Amino acid sequence: MSDTIFLKTFKENFEQYKSKRIVIYGLSYGTKIILENFQDYNICGLMDGYRTDGSMYGKKILSYQEVIEFKTELIIVVARPNITELIRNRIAAFCKKNGISLFSADGKLLNIEVVKLNNEYFSISREVLQNKIDSYDIVSFDIFDTLLMRKTLQPKDIFSLVEKQAIKEKNIRCEFEKNRILAEQNLLATFIPNFLQIYNELQFMTGISDDEKKYLMDTELQIESQMLIPRKEMIKVFEYAKSKNKMIYLISDMYHSSECIENWLENAGVSGYNELMISNEYSTSKGQNLFGIFLRKVKNKKVLHIGDSEPFDVMAANRNGIENFRILSSYDMLQISAYKEILYQIEDLTGRLQVGYFISRIFNSPFALFESEGKGKIQAGKDIGYIYMAPIVADFMLWFVKKIKNKKNARVLFSARDGYLIDKLYGILRMQEPLKILPEGLYFLTSRVLCISASLFDENDILWSLNNAFSGTPEELLKKRYFLEEEEIENFDSNTYSSLPQYILAHKKAILAKSAEVRERYMEYIRKFRLNGADELLFFDFVSTGTCQLCLSKLLKAELKGYYFYRFNTTDIAKQRLSIEAPYTSEGILAANSLLLECILTSFVPTIKGFDSSGKPVYLEERRTEEELCYIKDVQDGIEEYFEDFVRFQDIDELDSKDISLGEIFLKFITPQYSDIGNYIFKTYIIDDEFHNENLHVSNIYQY
């Protein structure tokens, strides 16, 4: 849309509100031209997702409290349509609570009604179940999706993984997933089969050899074992029943042997039950006569059965006169939660696995939706990393390696500090046998402060560097960006200097001398890596306009190829000419919430400012607390754990880049409309942006 049409549309829609107290949400170019062209409007200030102070375009950036104090009557969101919807979700409750109308820039009145999910299951807690147990002599538990669960969306995903591995390792092409399901169904029509009987039927159907059958059986057992995890809160319920001296039976419709299942239970910490009853060993299921056999064992005792299946743990138990208590599987919980929209976004096995990992963590507890309004409740930093942030990081890594594989003469520079975790994950990929086609990567010390300081050769370079915004006094700018000492700095006097550039250039000699010193020491560091003209230099940065890449290209006298999560728009012609690719755009959720990841991907040392005379790095002051650094470590551990899960069953080299689809949705789920995050550091984290000399409130988005 042209500026003329944008401004015409804005005037047509908001002329009638010009005297009302207006706040603009967004600091984009659109906001700039609105303020320039509608100075007669009563615009009290601006809002932003992360900034709550300072000013932009001559208007104050307001906190939520200041918006209230100004008695704001309407907020106009100036952003692209999908970002407008994200912002609407973010501040709808705030607007509703304070009687503020919310509009998009095209004049649409946005809905601020907050829809709260409700379901009778939201009243189920562990205490409720344990109180129920107190009234019974015997407690029986279902096993799968009750005491144990798989890290998959549905059980059939195990078969998909077996098929994928069988093709890759043994070239066994028998349409395994489809025929494995069909073989079991064929036998269930006449009897309750065990694992070997199912595979015998599969062999009969497909003609696979004895060796292939054994390989497939072993692979299924291996993947099943790797994917099984305990439902920890249900293990506590089991232990509670034991502590109350209840007789405990475990009853399952399952083709595996009791010996196999006992091993899985023992690995999950489940022991001390009275008996394990498996359908294939009794030749009957819960839907047939397994509960009847169970009742004959316990005679006239008062029994409570606990399980997840409506037809088999509830209805079949009822038919046998057994009291029961239904807890939901993670998949069933997903369907009644605030996250259910993700089910309609899945396109392939990769997506199914990503959702499986998500629900196995957020709904590991069947009581996770207790008094929740459908939202997940998260406390630990490791869970924040695994559940919300890791999927988009994994998606990026998939895109990234597909871009750079087979570049044999390339070297990848993972820029400090945002490349710290990405470098670690890249190392995990390079250790995989099929991915030795990936070029060497190295963690490369750099920063905007260092790069600019080292690349000032003349007056034009100094003037260019002033295009990068700085919040502070002219004297502070000379100290913090050009590293001048107190005695080298003249006080700024507006009577003497008519502009900031004139004042800065008055210090040109000192600035260029300092730059030469910084540059020589930086080049000594760079020379250690033996970067030569034969190398294709690939440069990773998280989100940027390209400042570091441009300056390094100048210092190295070589073109760098950039790969970022997201590239900020810039009016700088030199930066526009840089070769940079990124999978995410300004229209996406990543762009709107990038600071949530920026403060996590980072290293555990401060921003580098240069090197001392002995070649050791010199860092700016560390502003993060020990508590904040521990939080970052926890979140990174969660991301790394997820990534190892992600690549365990994925041949990254074969995946299509279309698989980048769900990461932004999981990142969106971190907001209050979807999740209740109780981590104090998450809610209070502030990024100290030394380059721009300002603070950014990372979780300002989480206030409402």
Side-chain angles (χ1 to χ4, degrees):
M1 184 187 296
S2 70
D3 291 358
T4 302
I5 295 173
F6 174 78
L7 293 170
K8 181 176 182 291
T9 302
F10 187 88
K11 182 174 182 179
E12 288 173 352
N13 287 301
F14 295 107
E15 181 79 16
Q16 59 184 313
Y17 301 115
K18 63 189 296 184
S19 62
K20 291 186 176 293
R21 291 179 289 276
I22 300 171
V23 167
I24 303 289
Y25 195 115
L27 307 180
S28 66
Y29 173 73
T31 297
K32 178 177 183 291
I33 62 175
I34 286 170
L35 293 173
E36 290 173 347
N37 288 274
F38 299 102
Q39 297 183 22
D40 56 332
Y41 281 44
N42 186 21
I43 298 175
C44 306
L46 310 177
M47 292 183 75
D48 178 63
Y50 296 109
R51 296 178 60 181
T52 57
D53 52 19
S55 61
M56 183 74 77
Y57 312 132
K59 290 289 183 180
K60 191 176 188 310
I61 299 171
L62 307 175
S63 66
Y64 284 100
Q65 187 56 40
E66 288 172 323
V67 171
I68 296 169
E69 290 170 358
F70 273 113
K71 298 182 179 179
T72 302
E73 295 174 90
L74 66 151
I75 295 174
I76 303 172
V77 180
V78 180
R80 293 176 175 85
N82 61 337
I83 301 300
T84 296
E85 175 58 17
L86 190 70
I87 294 167
R88 185 200 69 78
N89 279 331
R90 183 180 297 169
I91 66 172
F94 170 75
C95 293
K96 175 74 173 176
K97 179 180 179 181
N98 294 286
I100 301 171
S101 299
L102 184 63
F103 290 86
S104 59
D106 60 3
K108 181 181 178 182
L109 180 63
L110 302 176
N111 181 17
I112 59 174
E113 295 299 323
V114 179
V115 178
K116 295 182 179 180
L117 295 178
N118 190 27
N119 189 289
E120 62 181 11
Y121 191 72
F122 300 167
S123 64
I124 301 299
S125 68
R126 180 158 60 92
E127 289 71 23
V128 169
L129 175 52
Q130 290 177 173
N131 289 338
K132 183 98 171 174
I133 286 172
D134 289 341
S135 303
Y136 295 85
D137 305 312
I138 295 174
V139 181
S140 62
F141 289 88
D142 174 47
I143 298 175
F144 294 89
D145 288 325
T146 299
L147 294 174
L148 306 178
M149 67 180 296
R150 302 172 179 91
K151 291 196 288 188
T152 58
L153 183 62
Q154 291 180 308
K156 69 175 185 178
D157 297 333
I158 298 293
F159 306 149
S160 300
L161 291 172
V162 174
E163 178 172 342
K164 185 180 180 71
Q165 187 166 318
I167 293 172
K168 177 184 174 184
E169 294 186 350
K170 298 290 185 179
N171 197 32
I172 300 174
R173 298 179 182 274
C174 63
E175 296 185 275
F176 176 80
E177 178 187 346
K178 181 186 78 173
N179 287 316
R180 168 65 175 80
I181 294 169
L182 188 58
E184 184 177 352
Q185 289 173 342
N186 288 346
L187 298 182
L188 282 171
T190 53
F191 67 98
I192 306 298
N194 62 31
F195 193 53
L196 178 58
Q197 289 167 333
I198 293 170
Y199 268 88
N200 286 339
E201 175 70 9
L202 176 69
Q203 185 177 30
F204 174 76
M205 292 168 55
T206 62
I208 57 174
S209 68
D210 288 344
D211 287 344
E212 288 172 330
K213 179 178 73 172
K214 184 179 186 306
Y215 170 84
L216 291 169
M217 291 177 71
D218 291 344
T219 302
E220 181 178 335
L221 284 171
Q222 176 194 33
I223 293 176
E224 183 88 80
S225 298
Q226 290 174 325
M227 281 297 200
L228 274 176
I229 58 174
R231 294 193 87 176
K232 295 177 183 178
E233 286 290 290
M234 284 305 298
I235 305 300
K236 290 179 181 178
V237 172
F238 173 87
E239 291 297 328
Y240 177 83
K242 279 174 56 179
S243 74
K244 294 295 183 177
N245 298 314
K246 308 296 181 182
M247 292 185 69
I248 300 176
Y249 287 74
L250 307 185
I251 305 175
S252 177
D253 287 340
M254 179 49 66
Y255 38 79
H256 289 301
S257 68
S258 56
E259 181 182 5
C260 179
I261 294 172
E262 282 171 355
N263 288 333
W264 287 333
L265 289 167
E266 185 176 351
N267 290 337
V270 179
S271 62
Y273 43 87
N274 294 83
E275 190 172 340
L276 173 63
M277 299 179 66
I278 305 300
S279 60
N280 77 79
E281 295 179 350
Y282 282 86
S283 299
T284 187
S285 68
K286 285 186 279 191
Q288 296 169 336
N289 194 38
L290 191 57
F291 277 131
I293 296 172
F294 165 61
L295 287 174
R296 287 195 289 275
K297 287 176 180 285
V298 301
K299 305 204 181 291
N300 297 320
K301 300 288 186 181
K302 196 175 181 184
V303 178
L304 175 69
H305 179 71
I306 303 167
D308 72 288
S309 170
E310 178 72 24
F312 301 114
D313 294 310
V314 176
M315 295 174 66
N318 284 338
R319 286 197 301 272
N320 286 273
I322 297 174
E323 290 289 324
N324 53 80
F325 192 103
R326 188 187 182 198
I327 56 98
L328 295 189
S329 68
S330 59
Y331 179 78
D332 289 337
M333 293 175 74
L334 175 63
Q335 291 182 306
I336 63 170
S337 76
Y339 313 112
K340 61 184 177 182
E341 67 183 74
I342 197 75
L343 286 168
Y344 312 113
Q345 308 293 330
I346 300 170
E347 295 184 358
D348 48 33
L349 178 59
T350 300
R352 295 181 66 81
L353 289 174
Q354 286 186 308
V355 177
Y357 297 146
F358 174 75
I359 61 175
S360 71
R361 195 73 162 227
I362 201 164
F363 294 140
N364 181 272
S365 169
F367 315 113
L369 291 175
F370 176 63
E371 296 184 344
S372 69
E373 297 175 354
K375 303 176 185 179
K377 296 179 180 179
I378 303 300
Q379 180 76 36
K382 193 170 183 179
D383 288 335
I384 293 172
Y386 190 100
I387 292 168
Y388 303 110
M389 298 181 181
I392 199 167
V393 175
D395 279 352
F396 173 81
M397 294 301 297
L398 164 62
W399 173 86
F400 181 53
V401 299
K402 287 186 73 66
K403 289 288 184 180
I404 68 172
K405 67 179 183 179
N406 296 320
K407 290 181 179 287
K408 296 179 181 178
N409 295 322
R411 300 180 77 182
V412 187
L413 309 183
F414 292 98
S415 65
R417 296 181 297 169
D418 294 349
Y420 175 78
L421 181 60
I422 300 300
D423 176 47
K424 288 179 69 176
L425 301 183
Y426 186 74
I428 292 172
L429 289 178
R430 288 195 85 231
M431 289 176 65
Q432 289 188 284
E433 190 67 29
L435 290 174
K436 290 183 178 175
I437 53 175
L438 292 177
E440 177 192 1
L442 59 95
Y443 183 63
F444 188 78
L445 294 180
T446 190
S447 69
R448 289 173 296 180
V449 170
L450 172 57
C451 280
I452 286 181
S453 179
S455 58
L456 302 177
F457 291 88
D458 54 35
E459 180 176 305
N460 288 331
D461 290 336
I462 296 174
L463 290 173
W464 172 83
S465 72
L466 289 173
N467 293 329
N468 298 279
F470 182 85
S471 298
T473 66
E475 292 89 349
E476 288 177 319
L477 177 60
L478 288 170
K479 288 180 186 176
K480 294 188 175 184
R481 187 165 293 173
Y482 302 106
F483 303 133
L484 298 193
E485 301 295 336
E486 193 79 45
E487 60 272 15
E488 297 177 290
I489 299 172
E490 295 183 27
N491 289 329
F492 178 75
D493 183 348
S494 58
N495 293 321
T496 304
Y497 302 106
S498 60
S499 66
L500 178 64
Q502 184 187 13
Y503 171 73
I504 297 299
L505 288 177
H507 299 79
K508 178 175 69 172
K509 184 177 179 180
I511 290 172
L512 294 179
K514 177 63 71 173
S515 178
E517 178 186 332
V518 171
R519 179 167 55 253
E520 177 53 34
R521 292 177 178 178
Y522 195 24
M523 293 306 297
E524 282 295 319
Y525 165 77
I526 291 173
R527 281 191 281 271
K528 293 177 183 177
F529 295 112
R530 295 184 173 88
L531 303 176
N532 57 64
D535 292 327
E536 181 183 1
L537 298 180
L538 313 178
F539 184 76
F540 166 81
D541 207 344
F542 175 50
V543 292
S544 175
T545 58
T547 302
C548 287
Q549 183 175 336
L550 178 63
C551 292
L552 287 171
S553 295
K554 189 174 179 180
L555 292 171
L556 294 169
K557 297 181 174 58
E559 293 298 320
L560 276 65
K561 170 71 176 179
Y563 295 95
Y564 302 177
F565 271 73
Y566 161 57
R567 182 181 188 177
F568 282 132
N569 294 328
T570 178
T571 57
D572 189 309
I573 301 300
K575 291 181 184 178
Q576 288 176 356
R577 290 173 178 160
L578 291 172
S579 176
I580 297 172
E581 290 187 62
Y584 300 105
T585 68
S586 59
E587 289 82 16
I589 293 163
L590 184 278
N593 294 305
S594 60
L595 287 188
L596 288 169
L597 278 170
E598 184 172 324
C599 68
I600 296 301
L601 300 182
T602 186
S603 71
F604 296 91
V605 295
T607 298
I608 187 168
K609 63 180 288 188
F611 293 83
D612 65 17
S613 57
S614 64
K616 293 181 180 179
V618 178
Y619 298 98
L620 297 175
E621 178 188 355
E622 179 61 85
R623 303 284 185 89
R624 297 168 295 184
T625 65
E626 284 298 318
E627 194 176 14
E628 287 170 338
L629 290 169
C630 286
Y631 164 77
I632 293 169
K633 175 66 165 57
D634 287 344
V635 179
Q636 286 191 5
D637 285 348
I639 294 173
E640 192 169 345
E641 180 187 343
Y642 176 98
F643 191 69
E644 288 174 342
D645 282 344
F646 183 79
V647 300
R648 180 178 293 123
F649 300 110
Q650 296 294 305
D651 188 342
I652 302 293
D653 190 41
E654 294 179 357
L655 289 171
D656 196 314
S657 58
K658 71 179 177 60
D659 293 306
I660 295 180
S661 58
L662 299 182
E664 284 195 291
I665 298 174
F666 289 116
L667 188 62
K668 178 181 74 173
F669 286 162
I670 205 170
T671 55
Q673 292 72 40
Y674 296 94
S675 301
D676 181 6
I677 297 182
N679 187 289
Y680 172 76
I681 300 298
F682 172 83
K683 289 189 171 184
T684 59
Y685 200 98
I686 296 174
I687 286 182
D688 183 17
D689 185 341
E690 302 98 341
F691 184 70
H692 293 296
N693 197 39
E694 62 184 4
N695 291 330
L696 301 171
H697 297 248
V698 175
S699 292
N700 193 40
I701 66 163
Y702 211 82
Q703 289 194 30
Y704 289 90

